[in-house]
Coordinates of all heavy atoms in Angstrom, one line a residue:
I1 N 32.7 -0.1 -26.7 CA 32.7 1.3 -26.2 C 31.8 2.1 -27.1 O 31.1 3.0 -26.5 CB 34.1 1.8 -26.1 CG1 34.1 3.0 -25.2 CG2 34.8 2.2 -27.3 CD1 35.4 3.6 -24.7
T2 N 31.8 2.0 -28.4 CA 30.9 2.8 -29.2 C 29.4 2.4 -29.0 O 28.5 3.2 -29.1 CB 31.3 2.7 -30.7 OG1 31.3 1.3 -31.1 CG2 32.6 3.3 -30.9
F3 N 29.3 1.1 -28.8 CA 27.8 0.6 -28.5 C 27.4 1.3 -27.2 O 26.2 1.7 -27.2 CB 27.8 -1.0 -28.4 CG 26.5 -1.6 -28.2 CD1 25.8 -2.1 -29.2 CD2 26.0 -1.7 -26.9 CE1 24.5 -2.6 -29.1 CE2 24.7 -2.3 -26.7 CZ 24.0 -2.8 -27.8
V4 N 28.1 1.2 -26.2 CA 27.8 1.8 -24.9 C 27.4 3.3 -25.0 O 26.5 3.8 -24.6 CB 28.7 1.6 -23.8 CG1 28.5 2.4 -22.6 CG2 28.8 0.1 -23.4
S5 N 28.4 4.0 -25.9 CA 28.3 5.4 -26.0 C 26.9 5.8 -26.7 O 26.2 6.7 -26.1 CB 29.4 5.8 -26.9 OG 29.2 7.3 -27.2
Y6 N 26.4 5.2 -27.7 CA 25.3 5.5 -28.4 C 24.1 5.0 -27.7 O 23.0 5.6 -27.8 CB 25.2 5.2 -29.8 CG 24.5 6.3 -30.7 CD1 25.0 7.5 -30.8 CD2 23.1 6.1 -31.1 CE1 24.4 8.5 -31.5 CE2 22.5 7.1 -31.7 CZ 23.1 8.3 -32.0 OH 22.4 9.3 -32.7
T7 N 24.2 4.0 -27.0 CA 23.1 3.5 -26.0 C 22.8 4.7 -25.1 O 21.6 5.1 -24.8 CB 23.5 2.3 -25.2 OG1 23.7 1.2 -26.1 CG2 22.3 1.8 -24.3
A8 N 23.9 5.3 -24.6 CA 23.7 6.4 -23.6 C 23.1 7.6 -24.2 O 22.2 8.3 -23.6 CB 25.0 6.7 -22.9
Y9 N 23.5 7.9 -25.5 CA 22.8 9.0 -26.2 C 21.4 8.8 -26.3 O 20.6 9.8 -25.9 CB 23.4 9.1 -27.6 CG 24.6 10.0 -27.8 CD1 25.9 9.5 -28.1 CD2 24.5 11.4 -27.7 CE1 27.0 10.3 -28.4 CE2 25.6 12.2 -27.9 CZ 26.8 11.7 -28.2 OH 27.9 12.5 -28.4
H10 N 20.9 7.6 -26.7 CA 19.4 7.4 -26.9 C 18.7 7.3 -25.6 O 17.6 7.6 -25.5 CB 19.3 6.2 -27.9 CG 18.9 6.6 -29.2 ND1 17.6 6.5 -29.6 CD2 19.6 7.0 -30.2 CE1 17.4 6.9 -30.9 NE2 18.7 7.2 -31.3
L11 N 19.3 6.7 -24.6 CA 18.8 6.7 -23.3 C 18.3 8.0 -22.8 O 17.3 8.2 -22.3 CB 19.7 6.0 -22.3 CG 19.2 5.7 -20.9 CD1 20.0 4.4 -20.4 CD2 19.4 6.8 -19.9
S12 N 19.3 9.0 -23.0 CA 19.0 10.4 -22.6 C 18.0 11.2 -23.5 O 17.4 12.2 -23.1 CB 20.3 11.2 -22.5 OG 20.8 11.3 -23.9
R13 N 17.6 10.5 -24.7 CA 16.8 11.2 -25.6 C 15.3 10.7 -25.4 O 14.4 11.4 -25.9 CB 17.2 10.8 -27.0 CG 16.8 11.7 -28.2 CD 17.3 11.3 -29.5 NE 18.8 11.4 -29.5 CZ 19.6 11.1 -30.4 NH1 19.0 10.5 -31.6 NH2 20.8 11.2 -30.5
R14 N 15.2 9.6 -24.7 CA 13.9 9.0 -24.6 C 12.9 9.7 -23.6 O 11.7 9.6 -23.8 CB 14.0 7.5 -24.3 CG 12.8 6.7 -24.0 CD 12.1 6.4 -25.3 NE 11.1 5.3 -25.2 CZ 10.3 5.0 -26.1 NH1 10.1 5.8 -27.2 NH2 9.4 4.0 -25.9
P15 N 13.4 10.2 -22.5 CA 12.5 10.5 -21.3 C 11.3 11.4 -21.7 O 10.2 11.3 -21.2 CB 13.4 11.2 -20.3 CG 14.7 10.6 -20.5 CD 14.8 10.4 -22.0
L16 N 11.6 12.4 -22.6 CA 10.5 13.3 -22.9 C 9.2 12.7 -23.4 O 8.1 13.1 -23.1 CB 11.0 14.4 -23.9 CG 9.9 15.5 -24.2 CD1 9.5 16.3 -23.0 CD2 10.5 16.5 -25.3
S17 N 9.4 11.6 -24.2 CA 8.2 10.9 -24.7 C 7.3 10.3 -23.7 O 6.3 10.2 -23.7 CB 8.7 9.9 -25.8 OG 9.4 8.8 -25.2
V18 N 8.1 9.9 -22.6 CA 7.4 9.3 -21.5 C 6.8 10.3 -20.6 O 5.6 10.3 -20.1 CB 8.4 8.4 -20.7 CG1 7.7 7.8 -19.4 CG2 8.9 7.2 -21.5
V19 N 7.5 11.4 -20.4 CA 7.1 12.4 -19.4 C 5.9 13.3 -20.0 O 5.2 13.8 -19.2 CB 8.3 13.4 -19.0 CG1 7.8 14.6 -18.2 CG2 9.3 12.6 -18.2
K20 N 5.7 13.3 -21.3 CA 4.6 13.9 -21.8 C 3.2 13.6 -21.2 O 2.4 14.4 -21.0 CB 4.5 13.6 -23.4 CG 5.5 14.4 -24.2 CD 5.4 13.9 -25.7 CE 6.3 14.6 -26.6 NZ 6.3 14.1 -28.0
N21 N 3.1 12.4 -20.8 CA 1.9 11.9 -20.1 C 1.5 12.6 -19.0 O 0.3 12.7 -18.5 CB 1.9 10.4 -20.0 CG 1.8 9.6 -21.3 OD1 1.1 10.0 -22.2 ND2 2.5 8.5 -21.4
V22 N 2.5 13.1 -18.2 CA 2.3 13.8 -16.8 C 2.3 15.3 -17.0 O 1.8 16.0 -16.3 CB 3.2 13.3 -15.8 CG1 3.0 11.9 -15.4 CG2 4.7 13.6 -16.1
L23 N 3.0 15.8 -18.1 CA 2.9 17.2 -18.4 C 1.7 17.7 -18.7 O 1.2 18.7 -18.5 CB 4.0 17.6 -19.4 CG 5.5 17.3 -19.0 CD1 6.4 17.6 -20.2 CD2 5.9 18.1 -17.9
S24 N 0.9 16.8 -19.5 CA -0.4 17.1 -19.9 C -1.2 15.8 -19.9 O -1.0 14.8 -20.6 CB -0.4 17.6 -21.4 OG -1.7 17.6 -21.9
Q25 N -2.3 15.8 -18.9 CA -3.1 14.6 -18.8 C -4.5 15.0 -18.4 O -4.8 16.1 -18.0 CB -2.4 13.7 -17.7 CG -2.2 14.3 -16.3 CD -1.4 13.5 -15.4 OE1 -1.5 12.3 -15.4 NE2 -0.5 14.1 -14.6
N26 N -5.4 13.9 -18.5 CA -6.7 14.2 -18.2 C -6.9 14.0 -16.7 O -7.0 13.0 -16.1 CB -7.6 13.0 -18.9 CG -9.1 13.3 -18.7 OD1 -9.5 14.3 -18.0 ND2 -9.9 12.4 -19.2
C27 N -7.0 15.3 -16.0 CA -7.1 15.2 -14.5 C -8.4 14.8 -13.9 O -8.5 14.4 -12.8 CB -6.8 16.6 -14.0 SG -5.3 17.4 -14.6
S28 N -9.5 14.7 -14.8 CA -10.8 14.3 -14.3 C -10.8 12.8 -13.8 O -11.7 12.4 -13.1 CB -11.8 14.5 -15.3 OG -11.6 13.7 -16.5
T29 N -9.8 12.0 -14.3 CA -9.8 10.6 -14.0 C -8.8 10.4 -12.8 O -8.7 9.2 -12.4 CB -9.3 9.8 -15.2 OG1 -7.9 10.2 -15.4 CG2 -10.1 10.0 -16.4
L30 N -8.3 11.4 -12.2 CA -7.3 11.2 -11.0 C -7.9 11.8 -9.8 O -8.7 12.8 -9.8 CB -6.0 11.9 -11.4 CG -5.2 11.4 -12.7 CD1 -4.1 12.2 -13.0 CD2 -5.0 9.9 -12.5
K31 N -7.5 11.3 -8.7 CA -7.8 11.8 -7.4 C -6.8 12.8 -6.9 O -5.7 12.5 -6.8 CB -8.0 10.6 -6.4 CG -8.4 11.1 -4.9 CD -8.5 9.9 -4.1 CE -9.0 10.3 -2.7 NZ -9.1 9.2 -1.7
P32 N -7.2 14.0 -6.6 CA -6.4 15.1 -6.2 C -5.8 14.8 -4.8 O -6.6 14.3 -3.9 CB -7.1 16.4 -6.2 CG -8.6 15.9 -6.1 CD -8.7 14.6 -6.7
P33 N -4.6 15.1 -4.4 CA -4.0 15.1 -3.1 C -4.7 16.0 -2.2 O -5.3 17.0 -2.6 CB -2.5 15.4 -3.3 CG -2.5 16.2 -4.5 CD -3.6 15.7 -5.3
P34 N -4.6 15.8 -0.9 CA -5.3 16.7 0.1 C -4.9 18.2 0.0 O -5.7 19.0 0.3 CB -4.9 16.1 1.5 CG -4.5 14.7 1.2 CD -3.9 14.7 -0.2
D35 N -3.7 18.5 -0.4 CA -3.1 19.8 -0.4 C -3.6 20.7 -1.7 O -3.2 21.8 -1.8 CB -1.7 19.9 -0.2 CG -0.9 19.2 -1.3 OD1 -1.6 18.2 -1.9 OD2 0.2 19.4 -1.5
V36 N -4.3 20.0 -2.6 CA -4.8 20.6 -3.8 C -6.2 21.0 -3.7 O -7.1 20.2 -3.5 CB -4.5 19.7 -5.1 CG1 -5.1 20.4 -6.3 CG2 -3.0 19.5 -5.3

């Protein structure tokens, strides 16, 4: 139960490091959607 507990703690701590890539990215390499 303590293993599961801290797995959950760290699971919830990880997303920001992944989401950084879409919060700030090089838009020149991407194709904009029709509504932009």
